[in-house]
mmCIF file of all heavy atoms in Angstrom:
data_model
loop_
_atom_site.group_PDB
_atom_site.id
_atom_site.type_symbol
_atom_site.label_atom_id
_atom_site.label_comp_id
_atom_site.label_asym_id
_atom_site.label_seq_id
_atom_site.Cartn_x
_atom_site.Cartn_y
_atom_site.Cartn_z
ATOM 1 N N LYS K 1 0.829 -1.210 0.034
ATOM 2 C CA LYS K 1 0.043 0.081 -0.056
ATOM 3 C C LYS K 1 0.918 1.294 0.010
ATOM 4 O O LYS K 1 1.953 1.240 0.654
ATOM 5 C CB LYS K 1 -0.895 0.014 1.252
ATOM 6 C CG LYS K 1 -1.903 1.230 1.281
ATOM 7 C CD LYS K 1 -2.856 1.107 2.399
ATOM 8 C CE LYS K 1 -3.863 2.230 2.444
ATOM 9 N NZ LYS K 1 -4.766 2.154 3.535
ATOM 10 N N LEU K 2 0.455 2.272 -0.788
ATOM 11 C CA LEU K 2 1.191 3.515 -0.832
ATOM 12 C C LEU K 2 0.107 4.653 -0.412
ATOM 13 O O LEU K 2 -1.035 4.689 -1.006
ATOM 14 C CB LEU K 2 1.755 3.805 -2.233
ATOM 15 C CG LEU K 2 2.548 5.175 -2.299
ATOM 16 C CD1 LEU K 2 3.638 4.834 -3.230
ATOM 17 C CD2 LEU K 2 1.660 6.264 -2.746
ATOM 18 N N ILE K 3 0.452 5.481 0.529
ATOM 19 C CA ILE K 3 -0.321 6.583 0.936
ATOM 20 C C ILE K 3 0.209 7.793 0.294
ATOM 21 O O ILE K 3 1.330 8.138 0.561
ATOM 22 C CB ILE K 3 -0.623 6.778 2.359
ATOM 23 C CG1 ILE K 3 -1.347 5.599 2.984
ATOM 24 C CG2 ILE K 3 -1.233 8.095 2.790
ATOM 25 C CD1 ILE K 3 -1.622 5.654 4.472
ATOM 26 N N ALA K 4 -0.644 8.475 -0.546
ATOM 27 C CA ALA K 4 -0.082 9.556 -1.288
ATOM 28 C C ALA K 4 -0.751 10.913 -0.780
ATOM 29 O O ALA K 4 -1.942 11.048 -0.846
ATOM 30 C CB ALA K 4 -0.386 9.436 -2.798
ATOM 31 N N CYS K 5 0.059 11.807 -0.346
ATOM 32 C CA CYS K 5 -0.508 13.068 0.259
ATOM 33 C C CYS K 5 -0.167 14.243 -0.750
ATOM 34 O O CYS K 5 0.957 14.428 -1.148
ATOM 35 C CB CYS K 5 0.315 13.351 1.515
ATOM 36 S SG CYS K 5 0.087 12.058 2.784
ATOM 37 N N ASP K 6 -1.253 15.043 -0.961
ATOM 38 C CA ASP K 6 -1.014 16.137 -1.846
ATOM 39 C C ASP K 6 -2.191 17.106 -1.632
ATOM 40 O O ASP K 6 -3.222 16.716 -1.068
ATOM 41 C CB ASP K 6 -1.106 15.738 -3.357
ATOM 42 C CG ASP K 6 -0.455 16.716 -4.226
ATOM 43 O OD1 ASP K 6 -1.059 17.721 -4.653
ATOM 44 O OD2 ASP K 6 0.715 16.553 -4.568
ATOM 45 N N MET K 7 -1.844 18.371 -1.967
ATOM 46 C CA MET K 7 -2.948 19.415 -1.877
ATOM 47 C C MET K 7 -4.017 19.362 -2.885
ATOM 48 O O MET K 7 -5.076 19.853 -2.722
ATOM 49 C CB MET K 7 -2.272 20.793 -1.868
ATOM 50 C CG MET K 7 -1.417 21.149 -0.711
ATOM 51 S SD MET K 7 -2.400 21.650 0.698
ATOM 52 C CE MET K 7 -3.080 23.228 0.135
ATOM 53 N N SER K 8 -3.609 18.867 -4.127
ATOM 54 C CA SER K 8 -4.491 19.098 -5.260
ATOM 55 C C SER K 8 -5.310 17.855 -5.708
ATOM 56 O O SER K 8 -4.614 16.837 -6.160
ATOM 57 C CB SER K 8 -3.635 19.586 -6.468
ATOM 58 O OG SER K 8 -4.318 19.551 -7.661
ATOM 59 N N LYS K 9 -6.585 17.910 -5.667
ATOM 60 C CA LYS K 9 -7.390 16.814 -6.231
ATOM 61 C C LYS K 9 -7.292 16.803 -7.677
ATOM 62 O O LYS K 9 -7.333 15.675 -8.321
ATOM 63 C CB LYS K 9 -8.852 16.967 -5.811
ATOM 64 C CG LYS K 9 -9.791 15.839 -6.273
ATOM 65 C CD LYS K 9 -11.187 16.117 -5.755
ATOM 66 C CE LYS K 9 -12.202 14.976 -6.123
ATOM 67 N NZ LYS K 9 -12.197 14.637 -7.536
ATOM 68 N N LYS K 10 -7.154 17.926 -8.337
ATOM 69 C CA LYS K 10 -7.034 17.986 -9.833
ATOM 70 C C LYS K 10 -5.819 17.094 -10.270
ATOM 71 O O LYS K 10 -5.917 16.393 -11.308
ATOM 72 C CB LYS K 10 -6.914 19.460 -10.198
ATOM 73 C CG LYS K 10 -6.764 19.580 -11.695
ATOM 74 C CD LYS K 10 -6.584 21.087 -12.116
ATOM 75 C CE LYS K 10 -6.252 21.249 -13.590
ATOM 76 N NZ LYS K 10 -6.169 22.682 -13.995
ATOM 77 N N TRP K 11 -4.719 17.404 -9.638
ATOM 78 C CA TRP K 11 -3.432 16.745 -10.049
ATOM 79 C C TRP K 11 -3.577 15.115 -9.746
ATOM 80 O O TRP K 11 -3.261 14.390 -10.561
ATOM 81 C CB TRP K 11 -2.244 17.275 -9.337
ATOM 82 C CG TRP K 11 -1.822 18.642 -9.794
ATOM 83 C CD1 TRP K 11 -2.317 19.218 -11.020
ATOM 84 C CD2 TRP K 11 -0.974 19.619 -9.175
ATOM 85 N NE1 TRP K 11 -1.706 20.512 -11.104
ATOM 86 C CE2 TRP K 11 -0.973 20.722 -10.073
ATOM 87 C CE3 TRP K 11 -0.262 19.661 -7.978
ATOM 88 C CZ2 TRP K 11 -0.206 21.859 -9.726
ATOM 89 C CZ3 TRP K 11 0.473 20.658 -7.686
ATOM 90 C CH2 TRP K 11 0.504 21.817 -8.485
ATOM 91 N N THR K 12 -3.988 14.839 -8.469
ATOM 92 C CA THR K 12 -4.009 13.446 -8.179
ATOM 93 C C THR K 12 -5.096 12.640 -8.974
ATOM 94 O O THR K 12 -4.976 11.474 -9.105
ATOM 95 C CB THR K 12 -4.220 13.236 -6.564
ATOM 96 O OG1 THR K 12 -5.400 13.950 -6.211
ATOM 97 C CG2 THR K 12 -3.175 13.730 -5.875
ATOM 98 N N ASP K 13 -6.195 13.489 -9.417
ATOM 99 C CA ASP K 13 -7.185 12.687 -10.217
ATOM 100 C C ASP K 13 -6.629 12.375 -11.631
ATOM 101 O O ASP K 13 -6.909 11.346 -12.153
ATOM 102 C CB ASP K 13 -8.375 13.692 -10.520
ATOM 103 C CG ASP K 13 -9.308 13.597 -9.305
ATOM 104 O OD1 ASP K 13 -9.224 12.810 -8.420
ATOM 105 O OD2 ASP K 13 -10.287 14.410 -9.386
ATOM 106 N N ILE K 14 -5.624 13.127 -12.094
ATOM 107 C CA ILE K 14 -4.911 12.731 -13.340
ATOM 108 C C ILE K 14 -4.249 11.416 -13.043
ATOM 109 O O ILE K 14 -4.309 10.471 -13.853
ATOM 110 C CB ILE K 14 -3.871 13.833 -13.761
ATOM 111 C CG1 ILE K 14 -4.565 15.101 -14.065
ATOM 112 C CG2 ILE K 14 -2.934 13.256 -14.855
ATOM 113 C CD1 ILE K 14 -3.758 16.284 -14.412
ATOM 114 N N GLY K 15 -3.482 11.320 -11.911
ATOM 115 C CA GLY K 15 -2.766 10.162 -11.608
ATOM 116 C C GLY K 15 -3.686 8.921 -11.442
ATOM 117 O O GLY K 15 -3.399 7.835 -11.937
ATOM 118 N N ARG K 16 -4.842 9.178 -10.779
ATOM 119 C CA ARG K 16 -5.744 8.077 -10.520
ATOM 120 C C ARG K 16 -6.147 7.356 -11.764
ATOM 121 O O ARG K 16 -6.262 6.177 -11.861
ATOM 122 C CB ARG K 16 -6.991 8.631 -9.830
ATOM 123 C CG ARG K 16 -8.138 7.592 -9.608
ATOM 124 C CD ARG K 16 -7.763 6.493 -8.651
ATOM 125 N NE ARG K 16 -7.412 7.035 -7.331
ATOM 126 C CZ ARG K 16 -6.876 6.301 -6.366
ATOM 127 N NH1 ARG K 16 -6.538 4.910 -6.643
ATOM 128 N NH2 ARG K 16 -6.678 6.715 -5.223
ATOM 129 N N LYS K 17 -6.379 8.049 -12.871
ATOM 130 C CA LYS K 17 -6.756 7.492 -14.072
ATOM 131 C C LYS K 17 -5.685 6.430 -14.610
ATOM 132 O O LYS K 17 -5.945 5.387 -15.037
ATOM 133 C CB LYS K 17 -6.922 8.630 -15.212
ATOM 134 C CG LYS K 17 -7.166 8.144 -16.537
ATOM 135 C CD LYS K 17 -7.478 9.241 -17.575
ATOM 136 C CE LYS K 17 -6.219 10.109 -17.732
ATOM 137 N NZ LYS K 17 -6.339 11.240 -18.698
ATOM 138 N N PHE K 18 -4.391 6.898 -14.430
ATOM 139 C CA PHE K 18 -3.320 5.919 -14.951
ATOM 140 C C PHE K 18 -3.068 4.874 -13.935
ATOM 141 O O PHE K 18 -2.776 3.686 -14.317
ATOM 142 C CB PHE K 18 -2.095 6.793 -15.102
ATOM 143 C CG PHE K 18 -2.171 7.735 -16.435
ATOM 144 C CD1 PHE K 18 -2.571 8.955 -16.235
ATOM 145 C CD2 PHE K 18 -1.855 7.258 -17.587
ATOM 146 C CE1 PHE K 18 -2.724 9.900 -17.370
ATOM 147 C CE2 PHE K 18 -1.958 8.104 -18.755
ATOM 148 C CZ PHE K 18 -2.364 9.397 -18.598
ATOM 149 N N TRP K 19 -3.269 5.113 -12.631
ATOM 150 C CA TRP K 19 -3.138 4.123 -11.627
ATOM 151 C C TRP K 19 -4.078 3.000 -11.926
ATOM 152 O O TRP K 19 -3.667 1.749 -11.909
ATOM 153 C CB TRP K 19 -3.245 4.579 -10.234
ATOM 154 C CG TRP K 19 -2.339 5.722 -9.841
ATOM 155 C CD1 TRP K 19 -1.166 6.008 -10.308
ATOM 156 C CD2 TRP K 19 -2.538 6.652 -8.771
ATOM 157 N NE1 TRP K 19 -0.657 7.147 -9.769
ATOM 158 C CE2 TRP K 19 -1.475 7.552 -8.804
ATOM 159 C CE3 TRP K 19 -3.668 6.889 -7.887
ATOM 160 C CZ2 TRP K 19 -1.433 8.673 -7.881
ATOM 161 C CZ3 TRP K 19 -3.651 7.942 -7.001
ATOM 162 C CH2 TRP K 19 -2.486 8.815 -7.034
ATOM 163 N N ASP K 20 -5.335 3.341 -12.113
ATOM 164 C CA ASP K 20 -6.317 2.302 -12.470
ATOM 165 C C ASP K 20 -5.982 1.563 -13.675
ATOM 166 O O ASP K 20 -6.183 0.335 -13.731
ATOM 167 C CB ASP K 20 -7.687 2.946 -12.468
ATOM 168 C CG ASP K 20 -8.177 3.482 -11.189
ATOM 169 O OD1 ASP K 20 -7.709 3.027 -10.121
ATOM 170 O OD2 ASP K 20 -9.148 4.320 -11.148
ATOM 171 N N GLU K 21 -5.553 2.220 -14.749
ATOM 172 C CA GLU K 21 -5.172 1.698 -15.972
ATOM 173 C C GLU K 21 -4.135 0.529 -15.772
ATOM 174 O O GLU K 21 -3.995 -0.349 -16.390
ATOM 175 C CB GLU K 21 -4.767 2.704 -16.971
ATOM 176 C CG GLU K 21 -4.499 2.105 -18.366
ATOM 177 C CD GLU K 21 -4.119 3.159 -19.379
ATOM 178 O OE1 GLU K 21 -4.361 4.405 -19.126
ATOM 179 O OE2 GLU K 21 -3.526 2.782 -20.449
ATOM 180 N N ALA K 22 -3.186 0.883 -14.853
ATOM 181 C CA ALA K 22 -2.036 -0.005 -14.620
ATOM 182 C C ALA K 22 -2.453 -1.069 -13.737
ATOM 183 O O ALA K 22 -1.552 -2.019 -13.463
ATOM 184 C CB ALA K 22 -0.885 0.774 -14.017
ATOM 185 N N GLY K 23 -3.608 -1.078 -13.163
ATOM 186 C CA GLY K 23 -4.138 -2.123 -12.236
ATOM 187 C C GLY K 23 -3.669 -2.105 -10.813
ATOM 188 O O GLY K 23 -3.720 -3.012 -10.134
ATOM 189 N N ILE K 24 -3.056 -0.932 -10.504
ATOM 190 C CA ILE K 24 -2.510 -0.842 -9.113
ATOM 191 C C ILE K 24 -3.336 0.250 -8.335
ATOM 192 O O ILE K 24 -2.823 0.732 -7.254
ATOM 193 C CB ILE K 24 -1.018 -0.557 -9.069
ATOM 194 C CG1 ILE K 24 -0.571 0.598 -10.090
ATOM 195 C CG2 ILE K 24 -0.259 -1.821 -9.502
ATOM 196 C CD1 ILE K 24 -0.703 1.929 -9.499
ATOM 197 N N GLY K 25 -4.382 0.746 -8.823
ATOM 198 C CA GLY K 25 -5.142 1.830 -8.201
ATOM 199 C C GLY K 25 -5.516 1.432 -6.790
ATOM 200 O O GLY K 25 -5.613 2.288 -5.862
ATOM 201 N N GLY K 26 -5.777 0.116 -6.518
ATOM 202 C CA GLY K 26 -6.178 -0.314 -5.215
ATOM 203 C C GLY K 26 -5.112 -0.255 -4.205
ATOM 204 O O GLY K 26 -5.281 -0.280 -3.028
ATOM 205 N N LYS K 27 -3.839 -0.127 -4.586
ATOM 206 C CA LYS K 27 -2.701 -0.013 -3.695
ATOM 207 C C LYS K 27 -2.503 1.396 -3.203
ATOM 208 O O LYS K 27 -1.742 1.530 -2.281
ATOM 209 C CB LYS K 27 -1.443 -0.474 -4.435
ATOM 210 C CG LYS K 27 -1.399 -1.934 -4.773
ATOM 211 C CD LYS K 27 0.024 -2.248 -5.498
ATOM 212 C CE LYS K 27 0.278 -3.678 -5.816
ATOM 213 N NZ LYS K 27 1.540 -3.875 -6.390
ATOM 214 N N ILE K 28 -3.096 2.431 -3.878
ATOM 215 C CA ILE K 28 -2.776 3.767 -3.567
ATOM 216 C C ILE K 28 -3.984 4.431 -2.847
ATOM 217 O O ILE K 28 -5.095 4.482 -3.411
ATOM 218 C CB ILE K 28 -2.436 4.483 -4.821
ATOM 219 C CG1 ILE K 28 -1.181 3.881 -5.480
ATOM 220 C CG2 ILE K 28 -2.113 6.024 -4.522
ATOM 221 C CD1 ILE K 28 -0.854 4.511 -6.777
ATOM 222 N N GLU K 29 -3.744 4.998 -1.764
ATOM 223 C CA GLU K 29 -4.774 5.803 -0.998
ATOM 224 C C GLU K 29 -4.324 7.236 -1.025
ATOM 225 O O GLU K 29 -3.180 7.589 -0.621
ATOM 226 C CB GLU K 29 -4.843 5.306 0.389
ATOM 227 C CG GLU K 29 -5.797 6.249 1.252
ATOM 228 C CD GLU K 29 -5.815 5.823 2.796
ATOM 229 O OE1 GLU K 29 -5.400 4.625 3.014
ATOM 230 O OE2 GLU K 29 -6.102 6.617 3.630
ATOM 231 N N VAL K 30 -5.113 8.150 -1.534
ATOM 232 C CA VAL K 30 -4.840 9.608 -1.587
ATOM 233 C C VAL K 30 -5.351 10.290 -0.335
ATOM 234 O O VAL K 30 -6.516 10.065 0.061
ATOM 235 C CB VAL K 30 -5.386 10.138 -2.768
ATOM 236 C CG1 VAL K 30 -5.211 11.776 -2.837
ATOM 237 C CG2 VAL K 30 -4.880 9.604 -4.115
ATOM 238 N N ARG K 31 -4.492 11.121 0.311
ATOM 239 C CA ARG K 31 -4.890 11.960 1.357
ATOM 240 C C ARG K 31 -4.725 13.375 0.877
ATOM 241 O O ARG K 31 -3.644 13.868 0.696
ATOM 242 C CB ARG K 31 -4.021 11.712 2.567
ATOM 243 C CG ARG K 31 -4.011 10.326 3.231
ATOM 244 C CD ARG K 31 -5.215 10.127 4.069
ATOM 245 N NE ARG K 31 -5.296 8.791 4.736
ATOM 246 C CZ ARG K 31 -5.041 8.535 6.024
ATOM 247 N NH1 ARG K 31 -4.806 9.569 6.832
ATOM 248 N NH2 ARG K 31 -4.973 7.347 6.522
ATOM 249 N N LEU K 32 -5.812 14.134 0.768
ATOM 250 C CA LEU K 32 -5.830 15.485 0.325
ATOM 251 C C LEU K 32 -5.770 16.523 1.501
ATOM 252 O O LEU K 32 -6.366 16.263 2.530
ATOM 253 C CB LEU K 32 -7.146 15.735 -0.533
ATOM 254 C CG LEU K 32 -7.164 14.962 -1.802
ATOM 255 C CD1 LEU K 32 -8.554 15.269 -2.528
ATOM 256 C CD2 LEU K 32 -6.020 15.485 -2.795
ATOM 257 N N GLY K 33 -5.037 17.585 1.286
ATOM 258 C CA GLY K 33 -4.929 18.604 2.289
ATOM 259 C C GLY K 33 -3.443 18.990 2.507
ATOM 260 O O GLY K 33 -2.606 18.507 1.707
ATOM 261 N N SER K 34 -3.119 19.780 3.364
ATOM 262 C CA SER K 34 -1.730 20.306 3.559
ATOM 263 C C SER K 34 -0.898 19.149 3.993
ATOM 264 O O SER K 34 -1.406 18.233 4.739
ATOM 265 C CB SER K 34 -1.699 21.409 4.628
ATOM 266 O OG SER K 34 -1.832 20.938 5.985
ATOM 267 N N GLY K 35 0.329 19.062 3.535
ATOM 268 C CA GLY K 35 1.264 17.936 3.986
ATOM 269 C C GLY K 35 1.385 17.891 5.506
ATOM 270 O O GLY K 35 1.382 16.838 6.041
ATOM 271 N N LYS K 36 1.401 18.948 6.142
ATOM 272 C CA LYS K 36 1.596 18.951 7.667
ATOM 273 C C LYS K 36 0.371 18.371 8.242
ATOM 274 O O LYS K 36 0.466 17.593 9.264
ATOM 275 C CB LYS K 36 1.866 20.383 8.148
ATOM 276 C CG LYS K 36 3.121 20.854 7.744
ATOM 277 C CD LYS K 36 3.488 22.333 8.363
ATOM 278 C CE LYS K 36 4.783 22.801 7.920
ATOM 279 N NZ LYS K 36 5.176 24.147 8.395
ATOM 280 N N ASP K 37 -0.840 18.749 7.804
ATOM 281 C CA ASP K 37 -2.104 18.139 8.347
ATOM 282 C C ASP K 37 -2.112 16.695 8.088
ATOM 283 O O ASP K 37 -2.515 15.908 8.966
ATOM 284 C CB ASP K 37 -3.353 18.748 7.800
ATOM 285 C CG ASP K 37 -3.548 20.163 8.258
ATOM 286 O OD1 ASP K 37 -2.917 20.598 9.316
ATOM 287 O OD2 ASP K 37 -4.339 20.906 7.700
ATOM 288 N N SER K 38 -1.703 16.285 6.985
ATOM 289 C CA SER K 38 -1.754 14.884 6.563
ATOM 290 C C SER K 38 -0.836 14.045 7.451
ATOM 291 O O SER K 38 -1.165 12.926 7.901
ATOM 292 C CB SER K 38 -1.466 14.685 5.069
ATOM 293 O OG SER K 38 -2.455 15.203 4.231
ATOM 294 N N VAL K 39 0.435 14.418 7.623
ATOM 295 C CA VAL K 39 1.366 13.661 8.436
ATOM 296 C C VAL K 39 0.931 13.626 9.943
ATOM 297 O O VAL K 39 1.121 12.704 10.629
ATOM 298 C CB VAL K 39 2.803 14.123 8.311
ATOM 299 C CG1 VAL K 39 3.222 13.889 6.804
ATOM 300 C CG2 VAL K 39 3.041 15.538 8.705
ATOM 301 N N ASP K 40 0.435 14.819 10.300
ATOM 302 C CA ASP K 40 -0.049 14.840 11.756
ATOM 303 C C ASP K 40 -1.164 13.851 12.020
ATOM 304 O O ASP K 40 -1.196 13.151 13.007
ATOM 305 C CB ASP K 40 -0.573 16.294 12.161
ATOM 306 C CG ASP K 40 0.584 17.290 12.321
ATOM 307 O OD1 ASP K 40 1.681 16.846 12.449
ATOM 308 O OD2 ASP K 40 0.261 18.463 12.363
ATOM 309 N N THR K 41 -2.106 13.702 11.088
ATOM 310 C CA THR K 41 -3.184 12.752 11.165
ATOM 311 C C THR K 41 -2.664 11.301 11.138
ATOM 312 O O THR K 41 -3.099 10.493 11.948
ATOM 313 C CB THR K 41 -4.182 12.924 9.966
ATOM 314 O OG1 THR K 41 -4.720 14.196 10.047
ATOM 315 C CG2 THR K 41 -5.260 11.866 10.020
ATOM 316 N N LEU K 42 -1.659 11.041 10.318
ATOM 317 C CA LEU K 42 -1.065 9.685 10.267
ATOM 318 C C LEU K 42 -0.364 9.313 11.544
ATOM 319 O O LEU K 42 -0.393 8.236 12.096
ATOM 320 C CB LEU K 42 -0.069 9.598 9.058
ATOM 321 C CG LEU K 42 -0.713 9.575 7.633
ATOM 322 C CD1 LEU K 42 0.296 9.801 6.623
ATOM 323 C CD2 LEU K 42 -1.538 8.330 7.424
ATOM 324 N N VAL K 43 0.374 10.391 12.119
ATOM 325 C CA VAL K 43 0.983 10.108 13.412
ATOM 326 C C VAL K 43 -0.056 9.796 14.456
ATOM 327 O O VAL K 43 0.064 8.791 15.276
ATOM 328 C CB VAL K 43 1.808 11.309 13.876
ATOM 329 C CG1 VAL K 43 2.261 11.136 15.332
ATOM 330 C CG2 VAL K 43 3.040 11.553 12.963
ATOM 331 N N LYS K 44 -1.203 10.561 14.471
ATOM 332 C CA LYS K 44 -2.289 10.294 15.492
ATOM 333 C C LYS K 44 -2.857 8.963 15.217
ATOM 334 O O LYS K 44 -3.231 8.228 16.153
ATOM 335 C CB LYS K 44 -3.360 11.305 15.369
ATOM 336 C CG LYS K 44 -2.885 12.678 15.859
ATOM 337 C CD LYS K 44 -4.001 13.748 15.605
ATOM 338 C CE LYS K 44 -3.533 15.134 16.048
ATOM 339 N NZ LYS K 44 -4.534 16.188 15.811
ATOM 340 N N GLU K 45 -2.884 8.410 14.014
ATOM 341 C CA GLU K 45 -3.505 7.114 13.650
ATOM 342 C C GLU K 45 -2.515 5.962 14.010
ATOM 343 O O GLU K 45 -2.954 4.804 14.100
ATOM 344 C CB GLU K 45 -3.855 7.079 12.127
ATOM 345 C CG GLU K 45 -4.949 7.939 11.749
ATOM 346 C CD GLU K 45 -5.187 7.971 10.252
ATOM 347 O OE1 GLU K 45 -4.474 7.278 9.486
ATOM 348 O OE2 GLU K 45 -6.179 8.642 9.786
ATOM 349 N N GLY K 46 -1.315 6.308 14.279
ATOM 350 C CA GLY K 46 -0.288 5.292 14.638
ATOM 351 C C GLY K 46 0.106 4.419 13.503
ATOM 352 O O GLY K 46 0.452 3.229 13.708
#
């Protein structure tokens, strides 16, 4: 599994199209928002 953190849904949606085409879309989870907020949440989640 890969957790991908980015601010832009527009940009990651471009990637999602190709991830699905490659058959690995299920391996990637996108976390949208500021990088600091995303890593803080992941730390809290353990």
Side-chain angles (χ1 to χ4, degrees):
K1 183 174 183 179
L2 185 147
I3 292 183
C5 304
D6 202 276
M7 289 283 291
S8 173
K9 184 178 187 298
K10 177 182 177 181
W11 289 345
T12 53
D13 279 352
I14 293 172
R16 174 65 64 190
K17 176 177 64 175
F18 290 92
W19 301 338
D20 290 342
E21 184 179 343
I24 50 84
K27 292 182 181 180
I28 301 175
E29 175 188 339
V30 174
R31 298 281 184 109
L32 292 173
S34 76
K36 292 181 179 180
D37 287 345
S38 293
V39 296
D40 286 348
T41 298
L42 289 168
V43 169
K44 290 176 183 177
E45 291 175 358

